[in-house]
Amino acid sequence: MKITEVRAKRIKGNNRLKGIAAITIDECFVIHELRIIDGKNGLFVAMPSRRMPNGEYKDVAHPINTETRSMIEKEVLDTFNALPELEDEEPKKAEPKEEKEEEKEEEKEEKEEDTNE
């Protein structure tokens, strides 16, 4: 088995989910929705899963041995780590009116002190 393509993208947010990926195996089989998670020991790849009626999650597709899991994880994380970091695009929050007035008052006081010296 050979992974012939890996597609990954970073996800914005302050949660443990850092990205998603899809892999193509032997140019003929695709697995979507692999999740890149920031865990206790660093990044790892979670297989696609579905929530069962009892509330538990069960993998939809997964490797059946450690060697294959390691190969998938390495390929996905190598591709993910090569992606550019996301830029922080949070819009600036408007300052409350009271804070702006206080800042103006402080600037005015500083100017007065400078002229008195």
Side-chain angles (χ1 to χ4, degrees):
M1 180 185 94
K2 183 177 179 186
I3 297 174
T4 52
E5 183 180 15
V6 178
R7 293 175 306 284
K9 74 176 191 176
R10 293 185 183 274
I11 301 289
K12 287 184 183 182
N14 293 331
N15 56 17
R16 293 178 50 212
L17 179 64
K18 299 300 177 188
I20 58 170
I23 59 172
T24 303
I25 299 169
D26 294 331
E27 297 181 358
C28 65
F29 190 80
V30 176
I31 302 173
H32 294 279
E33 297 300 318
L34 285 90
R35 294 175 320 284
I36 300 155
I37 309 287
D38 190 7
K40 292 177 186 174
N41 299 320
L43 295 176
F44 70 94
V45 177
M47 295 296 130
S49 61
R50 173 184 300 182
R51 188 172 186 180
M52 305 306 290
N54 65 2
E56 292 181 14
Y57 286 87
K58 189 161 184 92
D59 285 350
V60 174
H62 61 90
I64 57 173
N65 60 50
T66 305
E67 180 183 323
T68 304
R69 181 176 296 277
S70 296
M71 178 182 59
I72 291 171
E73 190 162 75
K74 180 185 181 323
E75 293 285 333
V76 169
L77 292 180
D78 285 352
T79 299
F80 178 78
N81 288 327
L83 295 172
E85 292 289 330
L86 291 175
E87 292 184 22
D88 214 5
E89 296 181 15
E90 292 182 24
K92 280 189 170 180
K93 293 181 181 178
E95 293 179 7
K97 191 175 183 178
E98 296 168 5
E99 288 181 14
K100 286 184 181 180
E101 289 175 2
E102 286 176 16
E103 285 180 7
K104 286 181 183 178
E105 192 68 23
E106 288 174 4
E107 288 175 9
K108 186 177 177 182
E109 288 174 7
E110 287 176 5
K111 286 180 184 178
E112 288 175 1
E113 286 177 8
D114 288 345
T115 50
N116 291 339
E117 293 180 355

mmCIF file of all heavy atoms in Angstrom, residues 5 8 12 16 19 21 30 32 34 38 44 50-51 58 62 64 66 73 79 83 85 89-90 97-98 105 117:
data_model
loop_
_atom_site.group_PDB
_atom_site.id
_atom_site.type_symbol
_atom_site.label_atom_id
_atom_site.label_comp_id
_atom_site.label_asym_id
_atom_site.label_seq_id
_atom_site.Cartn_x
_atom_site.Cartn_y
_atom_site.Cartn_z
ATOM 1 N N GLU A 5 -1.224 10.595 -2.412
ATOM 2 C CA GLU A 5 -1.526 12.019 -2.305
ATOM 3 C C GLU A 5 -2.026 12.327 -0.902
ATOM 4 O O GLU A 5 -2.747 11.534 -0.306
ATOM 5 C CB GLU A 5 -2.594 12.430 -3.325
ATOM 6 C CG GLU A 5 -2.889 13.910 -3.316
ATOM 7 C CD GLU A 5 -3.955 14.316 -4.334
ATOM 8 O OE1 GLU A 5 -4.673 13.454 -4.856
ATOM 9 O OE2 GLU A 5 -4.057 15.525 -4.586
ATOM 10 N N ALA A 8 -4.076 18.653 2.950
ATOM 11 C CA ALA A 8 -4.323 19.083 4.327
ATOM 12 C C ALA A 8 -4.560 20.575 4.357
ATOM 13 O O ALA A 8 -4.115 21.305 3.474
ATOM 14 C CB ALA A 8 -3.129 18.723 5.215
ATOM 15 N N LYS A 12 -8.721 27.447 11.764
ATOM 16 C CA LYS A 12 -8.633 28.520 12.752
ATOM 17 C C LYS A 12 -9.418 28.129 13.991
ATOM 18 O O LYS A 12 -10.381 27.380 13.918
ATOM 19 C CB LYS A 12 -9.228 29.810 12.204
ATOM 20 C CG LYS A 12 -8.387 30.480 11.187
ATOM 21 C CD LYS A 12 -9.017 31.788 10.800
ATOM 22 C CE LYS A 12 -8.194 32.443 9.718
ATOM 23 N NZ LYS A 12 -8.741 33.730 9.340
ATOM 24 N N ARG A 16 -8.578 22.175 20.170
ATOM 25 C CA ARG A 16 -7.534 21.182 19.904
ATOM 26 C C ARG A 16 -7.451 20.785 18.433
ATOM 27 O O ARG A 16 -6.438 20.260 17.990
ATOM 28 C CB ARG A 16 -7.782 19.949 20.770
ATOM 29 C CG ARG A 16 -7.595 20.248 22.250
ATOM 30 C CD ARG A 16 -7.880 19.055 23.132
ATOM 31 N NE ARG A 16 -7.178 17.888 22.660
ATOM 32 C CZ ARG A 16 -7.635 16.636 22.775
ATOM 33 N NH1 ARG A 16 -8.776 16.403 23.354
ATOM 34 N NH2 ARG A 16 -6.932 15.620 22.333
ATOM 35 N N GLY A 19 -6.302 20.950 12.176
ATOM 36 C CA GLY A 19 -6.424 20.825 10.730
ATOM 37 C C GLY A 19 -7.211 19.596 10.333
ATOM 38 O O GLY A 19 -7.562 18.768 11.178
ATOM 39 N N ALA A 21 -7.475 16.627 6.900
ATOM 40 C CA ALA A 21 -6.717 16.108 5.768
ATOM 41 C C ALA A 21 -7.497 15.023 5.047
ATOM 42 O O ALA A 21 -8.466 14.477 5.577
ATOM 43 C CB ALA A 21 -5.372 15.557 6.249
ATOM 44 N N VAL A 30 -9.747 7.040 -1.636
ATOM 45 C CA VAL A 30 -9.572 8.273 -0.860
ATOM 46 C C VAL A 30 -10.244 8.136 0.502
ATOM 47 O O VAL A 30 -11.342 7.590 0.605
ATOM 48 C CB VAL A 30 -10.181 9.487 -1.603
ATOM 49 C CG1 VAL A 30 -10.083 10.754 -0.767
ATOM 50 C CG2 VAL A 30 -9.512 9.697 -2.934
ATOM 51 N N HIS A 32 -11.334 10.762 3.461
ATOM 52 C CA HIS A 32 -11.505 12.167 3.829
ATOM 53 C C HIS A 32 -11.684 12.291 5.342
ATOM 54 O O HIS A 32 -11.926 11.305 6.030
ATOM 55 C CB HIS A 32 -12.755 12.757 3.151
ATOM 56 C CG HIS A 32 -12.664 12.841 1.676
ATOM 57 N ND1 HIS A 32 -11.999 13.856 1.031
ATOM 58 C CD2 HIS A 32 -13.157 12.035 0.708
ATOM 59 C CE1 HIS A 32 -12.094 13.667 -0.281
ATOM 60 N NE2 HIS A 32 -12.789 12.568 -0.497
ATOM 61 N N LEU A 34 -9.727 13.144 7.908
ATOM 62 C CA LEU A 34 -8.764 12.824 8.953
ATOM 63 C C LEU A 34 -8.546 14.115 9.723
ATOM 64 O O LEU A 34 -8.395 15.182 9.120
ATOM 65 C CB LEU A 34 -7.440 12.341 8.343
ATOM 66 C CG LEU A 34 -7.483 10.921 7.776
ATOM 67 C CD1 LEU A 34 -7.884 10.939 6.328
ATOM 68 C CD2 LEU A 34 -6.154 10.277 7.951
ATOM 69 N N ASP A 38 -4.268 18.493 18.421
ATOM 70 C CA ASP A 38 -3.172 18.829 19.323
ATOM 71 C C ASP A 38 -3.431 18.106 20.646
ATOM 72 O O ASP A 38 -4.281 18.519 21.434
ATOM 73 C CB ASP A 38 -3.111 20.343 19.525
ATOM 74 C CG ASP A 38 -1.857 20.790 20.244
ATOM 75 O OD1 ASP A 38 -0.962 19.943 20.468
ATOM 76 O OD2 ASP A 38 -1.760 21.982 20.571
ATOM 77 N N PHE A 44 -1.419 14.623 16.558
ATOM 78 C CA PHE A 44 -1.671 13.268 16.097
ATOM 79 C C PHE A 44 -2.824 13.295 15.109
ATOM 80 O O PHE A 44 -3.540 14.292 14.998
ATOM 81 C CB PHE A 44 -1.948 12.301 17.260
ATOM 82 C CG PHE A 44 -3.265 12.517 17.956
ATOM 83 C CD1 PHE A 44 -4.397 11.808 17.578
ATOM 84 C CD2 PHE A 44 -3.376 13.424 18.998
ATOM 85 C CE1 PHE A 44 -5.611 12.003 18.220
ATOM 86 C CE2 PHE A 44 -4.569 13.617 19.651
ATOM 87 C CZ PHE A 44 -5.701 12.913 19.255
ATOM 88 N N ARG A 50 -17.824 8.427 13.378
ATOM 89 C CA ARG A 50 -19.247 8.738 13.390
ATOM 90 C C ARG A 50 -19.761 8.536 14.808
ATOM 91 O O ARG A 50 -19.351 7.613 15.504
ATOM 92 C CB ARG A 50 -19.975 7.789 12.442
ATOM 93 C CG ARG A 50 -21.481 7.911 12.497
ATOM 94 C CD ARG A 50 -22.159 6.898 11.636
ATOM 95 N NE ARG A 50 -21.737 7.095 10.259
ATOM 96 C CZ ARG A 50 -22.178 6.392 9.252
ATOM 97 N NH1 ARG A 50 -23.043 5.434 9.460
ATOM 98 N NH2 ARG A 50 -21.759 6.614 8.033
ATOM 99 N N ARG A 51 -20.670 9.409 15.208
ATOM 100 C CA ARG A 51 -21.258 9.285 16.543
ATOM 101 C C ARG A 51 -22.357 8.229 16.496
ATOM 102 O O ARG A 51 -23.266 8.280 15.668
ATOM 103 C CB ARG A 51 -21.815 10.621 17.003
ATOM 104 C CG ARG A 51 -22.250 10.594 18.426
ATOM 105 C CD ARG A 51 -22.615 11.966 18.900
ATOM 106 N NE ARG A 51 -22.893 11.891 20.320
ATOM 107 C CZ ARG A 51 -23.235 12.908 21.049
ATOM 108 N NH1 ARG A 51 -23.318 14.101 20.504
ATOM 109 N NH2 ARG A 51 -23.483 12.763 22.314
ATOM 110 N N LYS A 58 -17.212 6.050 16.798
ATOM 111 C CA LYS A 58 -16.602 4.850 16.234
ATOM 112 C C LYS A 58 -15.949 5.226 14.908
ATOM 113 O O LYS A 58 -16.539 5.934 14.094
ATOM 114 C CB LYS A 58 -17.685 3.797 16.022
ATOM 115 C CG LYS A 58 -17.164 2.447 15.647
ATOM 116 C CD LYS A 58 -18.234 1.401 15.907
ATOM 117 C CE LYS A 58 -17.701 0.041 15.620
ATOM 118 N NZ LYS A 58 -17.136 -0.620 16.766
ATOM 119 N N HIS A 62 -10.120 2.890 9.427
ATOM 120 C CA HIS A 62 -8.909 2.975 10.246
ATOM 121 C C HIS A 62 -7.939 1.864 9.864
ATOM 122 O O HIS A 62 -8.343 0.817 9.363
ATOM 123 C CB HIS A 62 -9.253 2.883 11.740
ATOM 124 C CG HIS A 62 -9.905 1.599 12.125
ATOM 125 N ND1 HIS A 62 -9.198 0.493 12.522
ATOM 126 C CD2 HIS A 62 -11.207 1.258 12.170
ATOM 127 C CE1 HIS A 62 -10.032 -0.496 12.796
ATOM 128 N NE2 HIS A 62 -11.256 -0.057 12.586
ATOM 129 N N ILE A 64 -5.427 -1.259 10.468
ATOM 130 C CA ILE A 64 -5.573 -2.382 11.398
ATOM 131 C C ILE A 64 -4.251 -2.801 12.031
ATOM 132 O O ILE A 64 -4.218 -3.745 12.810
ATOM 133 C CB ILE A 64 -6.251 -3.600 10.724
ATOM 134 C CG1 ILE A 64 -5.472 -4.053 9.497
ATOM 135 C CG2 ILE A 64 -7.687 -3.249 10.360
ATOM 136 C CD1 ILE A 64 -5.983 -5.338 8.888
ATOM 137 N N THR A 66 -0.211 -1.129 13.567
ATOM 138 C CA THR A 66 0.565 0.031 13.998
ATOM 139 C C THR A 66 1.429 0.591 12.866
ATOM 140 O O THR A 66 1.569 1.814 12.732
ATOM 141 C CB THR A 66 1.447 -0.336 15.205
ATOM 142 O OG1 THR A 66 0.606 -0.878 16.208
ATOM 143 C CG2 THR A 66 2.172 0.856 15.752
ATOM 144 N N GLU A 73 0.062 8.614 9.672
ATOM 145 C CA GLU A 73 0.299 9.770 10.535
ATOM 146 C C GLU A 73 1.513 10.574 10.084
ATOM 147 O O GLU A 73 1.466 11.799 10.020
ATOM 148 C CB GLU A 73 0.459 9.310 11.987
ATOM 149 C CG GLU A 73 0.474 10.453 12.964
ATOM 150 C CD GLU A 73 0.201 9.998 14.372
ATOM 151 O OE1 GLU A 73 1.123 9.400 14.974
ATOM 152 O OE2 GLU A 73 -0.909 10.230 14.859
ATOM 153 N N THR A 79 2.915 16.742 5.674
ATOM 154 C CA THR A 79 2.226 17.662 4.776
ATOM 155 C C THR A 79 1.655 18.844 5.558
ATOM 156 O O THR A 79 1.800 20.001 5.158
ATOM 157 C CB THR A 79 1.097 16.941 4.011
ATOM 158 O OG1 THR A 79 1.687 15.893 3.234
ATOM 159 C CG2 THR A 79 0.336 17.898 3.100
ATOM 160 N N LEU A 83 2.640 23.315 5.688
ATOM 161 C CA LEU A 83 1.714 24.394 5.352
ATOM 162 C C LEU A 83 2.120 25.683 6.050
ATOM 163 O O LEU A 83 2.632 25.641 7.171
ATOM 164 C CB LEU A 83 0.287 24.039 5.798
ATOM 165 C CG LEU A 83 -0.388 22.870 5.110
ATOM 166 C CD1 LEU A 83 -1.710 22.550 5.806
ATOM 167 C CD2 LEU A 83 -0.627 23.183 3.643
ATOM 168 N N GLU A 85 1.714 28.923 8.337
ATOM 169 C CA GLU A 85 0.899 29.200 9.524
ATOM 170 C C GLU A 85 -0.230 30.139 9.132
ATOM 171 O O GLU A 85 -0.083 30.968 8.245
ATOM 172 C CB GLU A 85 1.747 29.860 10.620
ATOM 173 C CG GLU A 85 2.801 28.956 11.216
ATOM 174 C CD GLU A 85 2.222 27.853 12.086
ATOM 175 O OE1 GLU A 85 1.154 28.066 12.696
ATOM 176 O OE2 GLU A 85 2.833 26.779 12.136
ATOM 177 N N GLU A 89 -6.284 36.944 11.982
ATOM 178 C CA GLU A 89 -7.052 37.961 11.280
ATOM 179 C C GLU A 89 -8.211 38.470 12.113
ATOM 180 O O GLU A 89 -9.251 38.842 11.587
ATOM 181 C CB GLU A 89 -7.581 37.400 9.959
ATOM 182 C CG GLU A 89 -6.494 37.045 8.991
ATOM 183 C CD GLU A 89 -7.034 36.506 7.686
ATOM 184 O OE1 GLU A 89 -8.235 36.669 7.428
ATOM 185 O OE2 GLU A 89 -6.256 35.920 6.940
ATOM 186 N N GLU A 90 -8.057 38.481 13.437
ATOM 187 C CA GLU A 90 -9.133 38.967 14.284
ATOM 188 C C GLU A 90 -9.246 40.477 14.127
ATOM 189 O O GLU A 90 -8.254 41.193 14.214
ATOM 190 C CB GLU A 90 -8.853 38.638 15.743
ATOM 191 C CG GLU A 90 -8.900 37.163 16.037
ATOM 192 C CD GLU A 90 -8.658 36.876 17.509
ATOM 193 O OE1 GLU A 90 -8.903 37.771 18.343
ATOM 194 O OE2 GLU A 90 -8.222 35.771 17.805
ATOM 195 N N LYS A 97 -16.095 53.798 24.999
ATOM 196 C CA LYS A 97 -15.994 55.256 24.966
ATOM 197 C C LYS A 97 -15.300 55.804 26.204
ATOM 198 O O LYS A 97 -14.480 56.710 26.117
ATOM 199 C CB LYS A 97 -17.399 55.846 24.833
ATOM 200 C CG LYS A 97 -17.440 57.305 24.527
ATOM 201 C CD LYS A 97 -18.867 57.750 24.290
ATOM 202 C CE LYS A 97 -18.887 59.215 23.895
ATOM 203 N NZ LYS A 97 -20.250 59.662 23.615
ATOM 204 N N GLU A 98 -15.584 55.202 27.363
ATOM 205 C CA GLU A 98 -14.987 55.671 28.621
ATOM 206 C C GLU A 98 -13.465 55.554 28.590
ATOM 207 O O GLU A 98 -12.759 56.455 29.019
ATOM 208 C CB GLU A 98 -15.528 54.883 29.811
ATOM 209 C CG GLU A 98 -16.997 55.063 30.043
ATOM 210 C CD GLU A 98 -17.554 54.055 31.034
ATOM 211 O OE1 GLU A 98 -16.774 53.269 31.608
ATOM 212 O OE2 GLU A 98 -18.776 54.047 31.225
ATOM 213 N N GLU A 105 -7.639 62.211 28.416
ATOM 214 C CA GLU A 105 -7.388 63.002 29.619
ATOM 215 C C GLU A 105 -5.946 62.806 30.091
ATOM 216 O O GLU A 105 -5.262 63.762 30.457
ATOM 217 C CB GLU A 105 -8.383 62.593 30.712
ATOM 218 C CG GLU A 105 -8.421 63.504 31.896
ATOM 219 C CD GLU A 105 -8.990 64.879 31.566
ATOM 220 O OE1 GLU A 105 -9.733 65.031 30.589
ATOM 221 O OE2 GLU A 105 -8.658 65.814 32.292
ATOM 222 N N GLU A 117 7.537 71.852 32.834
ATOM 223 C CA GLU A 117 8.930 71.533 33.191
ATOM 224 C C GLU A 117 9.893 72.480 32.606
ATOM 225 O O GLU A 117 10.100 73.241 31.935
ATOM 226 C CB GLU A 117 9.310 70.115 32.769
ATOM 227 C CG GLU A 117 8.563 69.078 33.557
ATOM 228 C CD GLU A 117 8.934 67.671 33.150
ATOM 229 O OE1 GLU A 117 9.703 67.451 32.199
ATOM 230 O OE2 GLU A 117 8.425 66.770 33.787
#
